[in-house]
Structure formats: structure tokens, C-alpha cells
Amino acid sequence: MNAAPEVQLRLLDLQDLDAAIDLLTHRRSSLPEHADSERLTSRLGELRSEIVTAETEDSDIGREQSKAEGDVEQVVARSDRDQKRLDAGQVGSPRELENLQSEIGSLAKRRSDLEDAVLEIMERREAVQQRLADLVKERESLTTELTSVEERRDAAVADIDAQVAQKTADRGLIANELPADLLALYEKIRAQSGGVGAAALSRGRCEGCHLSLDATSLSDIRAAAPDAVVRCEECRRILIRTAESGL
């Protein structure tokens, strides 16, 4: 394959643009904001589940508290009723008096136990409500942080995309200047060689694989016509001869 030396030199310009585009594409995919967004989104998902669980637990304890308070009210009402009978002298016999006094004592003990139970339930509910408040506060904080992260990410992505678009346009102009067969060879090698299809020959070394060429290879390149498309014997990339090639 043959191509004018100045045309071959344009391959280096094309390679520079391709390398820049590849770097920008990698930078776009590896922005720290992507990982931050993923982490925050994952935690917010966990928080939604934890908040639902806490709300359910609070609701269940609330019903338990209402029932316990209702039980206390019933005991208090019954105790008050018995006490009023006692105070009004409505007891007809010593045995009935004894039974009534015993029941009032039992109701007092029952009331004390029920009130202790209510306090224990209230303490559990308070702990759950505090945990729920903490979870909601964390959710609000992380939602604000996620919004900020996404704004930074979107701004960075937009900037990178703009640079890629410009370099892609510049690349298109150069690609249109190149012979179809030379461009096809370059693209094929680039796809097979880590994104580098053409490299300068600098002081006897291939800048693609960074290996120095042996004397025979250098002699063959030196003897090749200026328009001959030569390739590195080691990496098979297109070698571009320049004033710094050391030939």
C-alpha cells in the first residue's frame, strides 16, 4: 500500500484525536459522580424500606398503646364505680363489704400493672419514632446530596460530550482526506491494538509498542519508498516516518 508522506502524517493527527476521544469517553464513564450517585441511590432505596418498616412498627405499637390505655380506663372506671358504692354506704353486708374492698385492692394492683405496661409501650414507641425521625432526616439529607451530585455529573457529562462532539467533527474532516484503503487499514489495526492504529517512528523506536526496531527492520524502512506504508515488525501498527525517526 502506498500513500504520500504528507497523507501518512495526517494519520498521526487522526490518531491523536482518536486517543483524545477515547480518553474523554473513559473519563465520562469513570466520573466519581457516577459512583456517588449509585451509592446514594442505593442507600435511599434502603432508607425507603427502613422507613416503611419503622412506620409499620410505630403504627402497630400505637394500636398496642391504645388498647393498653383503654384497659387502664376500664379498670379506673370500675374502680371509681366501686369506690363510689363504698363511699355512699351502698354495701348491705360485711361479706359484701369485704368483697368490694378486696376488688378495689385488686383493681388498684391491676391499674398499676397496666400503667406500667403503658409506660413500657410508650418508651418503645418513643424509640421507634426517634429512629423514624432519624431515618427521615437522613433521607432528606441524602436526597439533597444526590441532587447536587447529579447536577455536577450532568454538567461534567455535558462538557465532555461537547468536547467529544468537537473532536469527532475534527476527526471526520481528517478521515475524509485519507485514502479509503489507508483509513480502513488504520481502523482495523486500531480495533485490534488497543486503540492505536498508527504511531511515529522516533529515533528508531516505535511509539506504538515502545520497542526499538532492530537494524534489519530499520534498514528495510530506510530503503522503502517515501510513499510506502510501513509497519512495525513487533506490533504491526502503521509506522509514520518523520524527521525524528533516526533514519
Side-chain angles (χ1 to χ4, degrees):
M1 183 182 298
N2 297 87
E6 61 272 18
V7 172
Q8 293 188 43
L9 282 172
R10 292 295 274 164
L11 276 180
L12 292 181
D13 297 330
L14 187 67
Q15 180 63 71
D16 287 344
L17 285 170
D18 281 334
I21 292 170
D22 288 345
L23 180 61
L24 286 168
T25 301
H26 173 72
R27 186 185 303 167
R28 187 187 193 280
S29 65
S30 58
L31 287 170
E33 287 80 7
H34 289 311
D36 290 341
S37 176
E38 184 177 346
R39 172 181 57 81
L40 291 169
T41 300
S42 175
R43 178 55 185 153
L44 283 169
E46 294 173 353
L47 281 172
R48 281 193 291 271
S49 178
E50 292 175 18
I51 287 172
V52 169
T53 298
E55 288 174 339
T56 301
E57 187 176 356
D58 178 48
S59 178
D60 291 344
I61 296 176
R63 285 192 293 271
E64 184 181 354
Q65 180 179 340
S66 295
K67 182 180 182 304
E69 289 172 343
D71 291 341
V72 171
E73 291 173 358
Q74 289 179 4
V75 169
V76 169
R78 185 172 176 180
S79 179
D80 288 346
R81 186 167 60 249
D82 288 349
Q83 189 63 48
K84 286 178 181 178
R85 285 185 61 204
L86 185 64
D87 294 342
Q90 297 175 352
V91 182
S93 67
R95 183 174 181 80
E96 184 179 359
L97 176 61
E98 182 181 352
N99 288 339
L100 186 59
Q101 289 174 332
S102 177
E103 181 174 335
I104 291 174
S106 296
L107 289 172
K109 177 65 168 60
R110 174 66 174 157
R111 176 180 179 177
S112 177
D113 291 343
L114 287 173
E115 288 177 341
D116 287 344
V118 169
L119 287 175
E120 186 274 331
I121 292 171
M122 291 174 66
E123 288 173 357
R124 284 195 288 121
R125 191 176 188 190
E126 183 180 353
V128 170
Q129 290 177 335
Q130 182 59 56
R131 186 168 77 249
L132 178 58
D134 292 342
L135 291 171
V136 171
K137 183 177 180 180
E138 183 182 358
R139 180 183 64 185
E140 293 172 350
S141 175
L142 292 186
T143 298
T144 300
E145 185 179 355
L146 178 60
T147 298
S148 177
V149 166
E150 288 178 337
E151 288 175 351
R152 294 199 307 273
R153 178 201 62 196
D154 292 346
V157 166
D159 179 62
I160 291 172
D161 286 348
Q163 294 182 60
V164 169
Q166 181 58 60
K167 292 186 181 300
T168 299
D170 294 341
R171 182 192 193 281
L173 294 176
I174 295 175
N176 289 335
E177 298 175 7
L178 300 176
D181 56 350
L182 180 62
L183 180 61
L185 177 62
Y186 165 81
E187 297 285 16
K188 179 180 179 180
I189 296 172
R190 198 171 97 83
Q192 297 172 344
S193 304
V196 180
L201 176 61
S202 178
R203 295 182 176 84
R205 187 180 77 160
C206 171
E207 292 301 319
C209 60
H210 304 292
L211 295 176
S212 296
L213 277 64
D214 58 40
T216 300
S217 296
L218 287 174
S219 178
D220 290 342
I221 293 173
R222 192 178 296 112
D227 65 347
V229 175
V230 298
R231 297 173 65 176
C232 174
E233 290 295 329
E234 296 295 335
C235 66
R236 302 305 296 160
R237 293 181 173 95
I238 298 172
L239 276 178
I240 307 301
R241 288 165 283 178
T242 71
E244 303 297 324
S245 292
L247 297 175

